[in-house]
Amino acid sequence: MKAILVNSCGGPEKLELAEVPVPAPGPGQALVRIEASGVNFIDIYFRTGLYKADPPIALGMEAAGIVEAVGPGVTEAEPGDRVAYTMCRGSYADYAVVPAWQLVKIPGSLDTRTVAAAMLQGMTAHYLTHSTFPLAPGQAALVHAAAGGVGLLLVQMAKLRGARVFATVSTEAKAALARQAGADEVILYSRQDFEPEVKRLTDGRGLDVVYDSVGVATFDRSLNCLRPRGMMVSYGQSSGAVPPFDPLILNHKGSLFLTRPSLGHYCANREELLWRAGDLLGWIAAGQLQVRIHQAFPLADAAQAHRDLEGRLTSGKLLLIP
Ligand code: NDP
């Protein structure tokens, strides 16, 4: 089978299309024939070496497809099932072996690509808005990179929870998408400093929560946008990692809360996975949540997908099709 591997960390040119044996499912595992694999920023972190793994590094953290075979003891799925999963590395491939407890059955009304596109970013938006900082109606939330893959879903889910949503984006085209997703206030942070703008729009009160995936470029000013005892959710670093941080700053800026969450810890068991995936796929099926697929690339063009994602050229999801 074909798979994208990284033998030494670096730029997109380090993605190699390799021929490898089809893996066999062991106890508790399923072999999935992949129909669509999602591209996520975490794949870039593994490629560059920001997140560590032993080479050859198999990339890709989510996919949807068909169960081809199951190992001993599997009760969650059987051959022929349409399934999707996330948080298991190696989905940039024709086949992947996945712990069966991580598989979610795809409802009949949903197409495979939409579900592949929704799993990682959608469940991230779910835990951020429902668990890390469970938004209540009327609360003010800032979503950075609001026209990105996570961003568009996060804006929509924050609106489903009744929040007032502030969004930052870099271009007019992205601003239009953020507004379409439901953002109440859209700030072009490429042209305007978002900190004074947020203060102006909240009459100096500040925000209840900032969902910050941009990292070093926005971190300090995001803290300044919070109300006393507000929460800074630093969940990514698309512009670069946030440097070491003195907790006393949280005191000086108003007894703030800071968390650096990860989807893995918020989908820790099957019950939690089925709750989040059930909500997510249910909203998509009901037309309450739109999943925007920016582009689908052939698996062999994974490097171009990485270039586009890193180059801020995308709005929504990138898929790789084996
Ligand atoms: P996006 O589609 O959001 O792409 C990244 C976006 O970040 C760009 O489109 C761009 O939007 C913005 N950005 C700002 N500065 C830069 C920069 N210097 N270089 C590149 N992009 C920049 O990607 P994803 O939806 O895949 O991921 C978004 C973030 O969420 C990532 O940081 C990722 O690590 C994080 N994440 C965290 C998870 C968790 O559980 N902790 C799970 C999933 C994702 P604009 O042009 O509008 O500025």
Side-chain angles (χ1 to χ4, degrees):
M1 70 166 195
K2 296 272 193 291
I4 299 282
L5 300 177
V6 173
N7 283 299
S8 61
C9 291
E13 72 285 353
K14 298 289 186 179
L15 301 185
E16 295 173 27
L17 187 65
E19 189 67 41
V20 296
V22 176
Q29 296 179 327
L31 177 69
V32 178
R33 177 162 53 79
I34 291 170
E35 295 187 341
S37 174
V39 178
N40 293 285
F41 235 90
I42 192 170
D43 309 335
I44 293 172
Y45 303 149
F46 277 110
R47 193 203 72 216
T48 59
L50 180 69
Y51 287 6
K52 305 294 175 209
D54 291 329
I57 305 170
L59 287 190
M61 296 291 270
E62 76 181 329
I66 309 282
V67 175
E68 194 85 358
V70 296
V74 168
T75 54
E76 297 88 348
E78 53 189 50
D81 283 349
R82 291 172 73 222
V83 293
Y85 68 91
T86 182
M87 299 314 280
C88 175
R89 201 157 44 73
S91 66
Y92 287 11
D94 290 330
Y95 293 89
V97 159
V98 183
W101 76 265
Q102 290 185 265
L103 296 176
V104 173
K105 289 191 185 164
I106 300 179
S109 59
L110 294 180
D111 74 273
T112 308
R113 289 191 184 192
T114 302
V115 179
M119 290 298 290
L120 192 151
Q121 295 170 338
M123 291 212 288
T124 298
H126 189 283
Y127 86 73
L128 292 173
T129 51
H130 289 66
S131 302
T132 306
F133 189 94
L135 282 166
Q139 286 188 316
L142 172 58
V143 176
H144 284 305
V150 177
L152 285 172
L153 295 163
L154 190 48
V155 169
Q156 293 178 75
M157 280 188 213
K159 289 310 295 177
L160 285 176
R161 291 193 66 98
R164 180 183 181 204
V165 179
F166 296 69
T168 61
V169 293
S170 66
T171 67
E172 288 289 359
K174 290 184 178 186
L177 289 170
R179 271 188 211 100
Q180 207 179 312
D184 298 286
E185 310 287 353
V186 180
I187 303 166
L188 270 86
Y189 59 179
S190 49
R191 296 185 197 162
Q192 190 179 20
D193 187 346
F194 67 86
E195 182 187 329
E197 191 58 5
V198 165
K199 284 181 179 156
R200 185 183 72 78
L201 291 165
T202 58
D203 297 324
R205 180 182 170 273
L207 303 161
D208 296 286
V209 60
V210 178
Y211 297 112
D212 189 335
S213 66
V214 171
V216 66
T218 49
F219 184 84
D220 290 337
R221 284 175 294 146
S222 293
L223 289 176
N224 296 339
C225 290
L226 288 165
R227 66 159 166 82
R229 289 158 50 186
M231 185 181 282
M232 170 70 171
V233 183
S234 171
Y235 74 97
Q237 54 261 315
S238 306
S239 68
V242 176
F245 179 79
D246 177 1
L248 205 54
I249 293 170
L250 300 174
N251 172 323
H252 295 328
K253 291 187 188 287
S255 300
L256 303 178
F257 294 86
L258 167 65
T259 183
R260 176 56 179 91
S262 171
L263 175 58
H265 301 129
Y266 283 90
C267 264
N269 54 46
R270 185 143 181 89
E271 190 185 2
E272 198 167 37
L273 167 72
L274 293 181
W275 166 43
R276 299 197 197 285
D279 277 0
L280 175 68
L281 301 184
W283 292 328
I284 298 169
Q288 287 175 279
L289 190 73
Q290 309 302 319
V291 179
R292 185 171 199 276
I293 297 176
H294 180 91
Q295 197 171 339
F297 292 87
L299 179 64
D301 293 346
Q304 189 56 48
H306 276 217
R307 281 186 198 100
D308 290 357
L309 184 58
E310 281 176 293
R312 304 169 79 161
L313 299 176
T314 65
S315 314
K317 191 73 200 181
L318 296 180
L319 293 176
L320 297 178
I321 309 299

